[in-house]
Amino acid sequence: MRASDPSQQPETVQAFLAGVPPFDRLPSLDLAALAAAGRVSLYLAGEAVPVGRDFVCCVQRGGVRLRRPGDLPGRDDVRGEGECFGQTCDLGNGQDGEGWEATALEDTFLVRLPREVFVAVCRRQPFVAGYFADALSPAARDAQPAGPTGCPDPSDGDYLFTRLAGEVASRGLADVPRGPDLRRAARVMEAGQVGSVLVREAGGAVIGIVTDRDLRRAVATGMALDATVETLMSAPVAAIEAKTPCFEALLSMTGSGIRHLLVTRDGEPAGMVTASDLLLAHGRSPMALLRAARRAGDATDLRAISQGLRPLAASLVARGAPAAAVSGIVTLLAEQVLARLLALLEKRCGPSPAPCRWLLLGAAGRREMLPGTGLSLAAVPDDGGDPIVGRAARTYLQALLPMLGEELAALGLRAPGSHLVLGDPRALVPLEGFALDGDPLDHEASLEGFDARPLGGRDEAGPAPAVATGEVFPFGLAASWLRAAASRPAPLGVYRGRLMERDGGSCEALDVLARGSRPVTALARLSALVWCVAPTGTVFRLNALGSLGVVPAATAARAVEAFAFFQSERLQALLTGRESSGREEAPLAPGTLSPRRRHALRAAFAAVEDLRLALLARLDVKEGEHGPA
């Protein structure tokens, strides 16, 4: 943001502020008032810059290094052109408050905005205060970039993301008490024109559900119609809060293999939402692909479905879906394609000599797949303790896995970092390979086994091989690796078009996966091993760390926001990077980032830095409680 020397041309202050977030969105009268009150100051390289409550400072040219007395050099911060600092714009986040020392990195012009004028503008225009208070909120960042050409217009709307389960649920609930026969249940359904009935205790508590599909299955299998409803009902009843987004209801149904969800308000039954309700509400794309995947007749059909993942993701982004929703649906579809592919391969090769449990690893296990992400899998045969059956099953799977890998590659679901494993990866961790002489992320492929989730199931991947007791992944090793992962500081942010490190280094490119998402995922995963958090998912793990008091709840919440920001940046790069750079996930050029994205990026890195420091501090306490490794 360069202009003529503002100390000689004060009229340029308003033009300068008109390009500086969040002031660029101010009405002209507020912008003029702020500019008229602003004062321009020049500080020579190395000169101290006053920081206090009286002014908000905007860097017009040059740069400023911020440091809190007593902090190590790695805790410094840097502000460049078009960026602000000062206690008045801190607004509770503790980043730029009184007590900081500032030094001009070079000859620097600052526009100093008086506190009283700034506060008055914040009161009239709350978004200004919001920008500084929550840099990671969508409102504080740039508007969502338009999707690639051919994406539906966002104005089409998408009920899957804009409506809540309670809004599409049926209001009337049909129910029967414990004891009546199946004929009574069918008559209640017919009278109410509904597809399910709840079964209640005498006191009114819901204990089960019988659906029309259950009744059809009972007739088909010859079950006596005078059997009581308890013999057919499913229990417990899957439920979801009315305020839950429809897409989460869809994920819950598909992941659990059910078609009905009881909708509750404050814990009380309020309605029923079905897969048909969501189909009517949404009408297309994800559900259409899911149905097509289930009905695919061969690999050619599956290939056509897989090719629709990227356009679907672009369409969802264009409609305003957050990255978490997109990754959840991409994972769900990839999972369905895999399930159908395994069924087709079994039809071609014959069944396994022993039942086989398929585990989704890594991003698929965490439900964090993005377009272009490969599937990592583990095949775990259950030989029932029979060594002969076990050998036969392993021989079968050793022949099947290469074929599966080739098919996944043809479907675009095999990436360089993905892998197929025979056996439970949590029991195959090569402990001798975990020497603490490198970056813990170099061994991420081995650690992804601890993201395991069964194909088509919930987060629990069956009994982990004694992780908590230390027989496979000892506490001391988990703690050492968490300490190693937490020892690498997060970057500072962007200054003069380069990514600045806390040790003073810099680089011209930013790999959002390597420096953003992956470190957060690694910290969450290793913390889950140390503090025995069972289910997978980076966001779930971070929230659990806050709930358990491992880190402050606010620190965990900001880390969740940072992870969401990094995933959103990755998603946009994946949707546009291949066309512009030839790479699936092109690195960002820091110099091309808008001021708002630079602002959000600094806040995200600050959140990761706070998380790693909080984990290091808590780890000291945990190791003291645990005793010598």
Side-chain angles (χ1 to χ4, degrees), residues 175-177 180-190 197 225 229:
D175 56 59
V176 296
D181 60 22
L182 299 183
R183 290 187 183 87
R184 166 82 178 277
R187 285 196 294 268
V188 170
M189 282 191 208
E190 180 65 22
V197 293
L225 294 182
V229 290

Side-chain angles (χ1 to χ4, degrees), residues 295-323:
R295 300 169 181 172
D298 53 30
T300 301
D301 293 341
L302 290 178
R303 192 171 300 118
I305 295 165
S306 297
Q307 290 171 349
L309 289 178
R310 186 181 294 269
L312 170 63
S315 172
L316 297 176
V317 168
R319 288 183 164 87

Side-chain angles (χ1 to χ4, degrees), residues 340-574:
R340 185 57 183 157
L341 176 60
L342 288 172
L344 293 173
L345 286 176
E346 181 175 317
K347 186 176 180 180
R348 183 197 309 173
C349 304
S352 170
C356 181
R357 188 159 51 102
W358 292 92
L359 300 180
L360 300 165
L361 312 177
R366 300 188 305 271
R367 292 190 174 92
E368 294 167 6
M369 289 183 68
L370 295 175
T373 305
L375 278 168
S376 290
L377 302 167
V380 186
D382 180 8
D383 57 20
D386 187 329
I388 296 178
V389 173
R391 283 195 297 273
R394 286 191 292 274
T395 300
Y396 172 90
L397 290 171
Q398 285 169 350
L400 182 71
L401 287 177
M403 298 170 56
L404 176 60
E406 291 177 3
E407 294 290 352
L408 289 175
L411 295 174
L413 294 176
R414 191 86 190 272
S418 59
H419 50 280
L420 305 178
V421 180
L422 177 56
D424 192 323
R426 298 166 295 176
L428 301 174
V429 175
L431 300 185
E432 68 279 1
F434 284 78
L436 295 178
D437 57 357
D439 190 334
L441 294 180
D442 292 342
H443 295 282
E444 184 176 31
S446 296
L447 290 172
E448 282 189 339
F450 295 98
D451 298 331
R453 178 175 60 84
L455 175 64
R458 298 180 181 273
D459 285 344
E460 295 79 5
V467 173
T469 62
E471 294 176 21
V472 171
F473 210 104
F475 166 80
L477 184 58
S480 296
W481 268 82
L482 176 57
R483 187 175 295 280
S487 65
R488 185 180 187 185
L492 266 176
V494 175
Y495 176 69
R496 287 202 173 282
R498 299 179 67 86
L499 181 67
M500 298 296 296
E501 303 289 351
R502 294 179 185 273
D503 62 2
S506 65
C507 61
E508 295 181 347
L510 167 60
D511 185 332
V512 181
L513 174 61
R515 300 308 308 278
S517 297
R518 183 176 289 160
V520 178
T521 296
L523 289 174
R525 179 194 296 120
L526 290 167
S527 297
L529 287 176
V530 171
W531 281 279
C532 302
V533 176
T536 64
T538 301
V539 169
F540 182 94
R541 286 166 167 168
L542 290 171
N543 285 329
L545 293 176
S547 299
L548 294 172
V550 175
V551 299
T555 298
R558 297 298 288 177
V560 168
E561 292 177 343
F563 182 70
F565 170 76
F566 291 136
Q567 290 292 88
S568 178
E569 291 292 316
R570 285 187 62 210
L571 178 59
Q572 189 60 33
L574 283 164

Side-chain angles (χ1 to χ4, degrees), residues 39-270:
R39 296 294 180 266
V40 178
S41 299
L42 169 64
Y43 296 89
L44 301 179
E47 185 177 353
V49 177
V51 180
R53 297 184 57 86
D54 296 333
F55 292 91
V56 172
C57 297
C58 300
V59 181
Q60 195 277 339
R61 186 185 303 172
V64 172
R65 181 179 296 277
L66 299 168
R67 175 180 297 178
R68 181 181 285 126
D71 274 355
L72 297 174
R75 295 291 287 165
D76 291 358
D77 200 353
V78 174
R79 299 299 160 94
E81 295 172 3
E83 297 177 325
C84 303
F85 64 93
Q87 189 177 8
T88 301
C89 69
D90 169 35
L91 297 172
N93 63 19
Q95 295 296 314
D96 310 324
E98 195 169 16
W100 285 77
E101 297 174 348
T103 306
L105 291 170
E106 55 188 289
D107 292 352
T108 298
F109 287 102
L110 299 179
V111 176
R112 297 163 65 85
L113 305 173
R115 170 187 170 83
E116 60 274 10
V117 178
F118 176 82
V119 170
V121 169
C122 286
R123 288 172 178 163
R124 290 193 299 271
Q125 307 293 341
F127 72 86
V128 175
Y131 177 83
F132 294 109
D134 189 5
L136 293 174
S137 70
R141 303 200 298 268
D142 289 322
Q144 185 75 287
T149 302
C151 291
D153 190 329
S155 62
D156 288 348
D158 195 323
Y159 288 2
L160 197 60
F161 305 103
T162 61
R163 299 191 69 177
L164 304 179
E167 296 174 343
V168 301
S170 59
R171 294 292 182 269
L173 286 174
D175 56 59
V176 296
R178 179 195 289 270
D181 60 22
L182 299 183
R183 290 187 183 87
R184 166 82 178 277
R187 285 196 294 268
V188 170
M189 282 191 208
E190 180 65 22
Q193 292 295 294
V194 294
S196 64
V197 293
L198 299 176
V199 181
R200 295 182 184 263
E201 291 278 20
V206 175
I207 61 171
I209 184 173
V210 176
T211 69
D212 51 0
R213 295 181 73 188
D214 294 331
L215 290 174
R216 289 197 301 271
R217 187 165 57 250
V219 172
T221 57
M223 180 180 288
L225 294 182
D226 57 1
T228 62
V229 290
E230 297 96 293
T231 61
L232 188 62
M233 72 181 187
S234 300
V237 179
I240 197 167
E241 270 292 320
K243 62 184 178 182
T244 304
C246 285
F247 81 87
E248 290 189 17
L250 170 64
L251 292 178
S252 180
M253 283 185 188
T254 308
S256 303
I258 59 177
R259 297 179 61 84
H260 296 75
L261 276 175
L262 179 63
V263 177
T264 62
R265 284 190 174 86
D266 300 323
E268 293 297 321

Side-chain angles (χ1 to χ4, degrees), residues 542 546 551-561 606-615:
L542 290 171
V551 299
T555 298
R558 297 298 288 177
V560 168
E561 292 177 343
V608 177
E609 182 70 4
D610 288 343
L611 174 67
R612 81 168 189 93
L613 292 175
L615 287 173

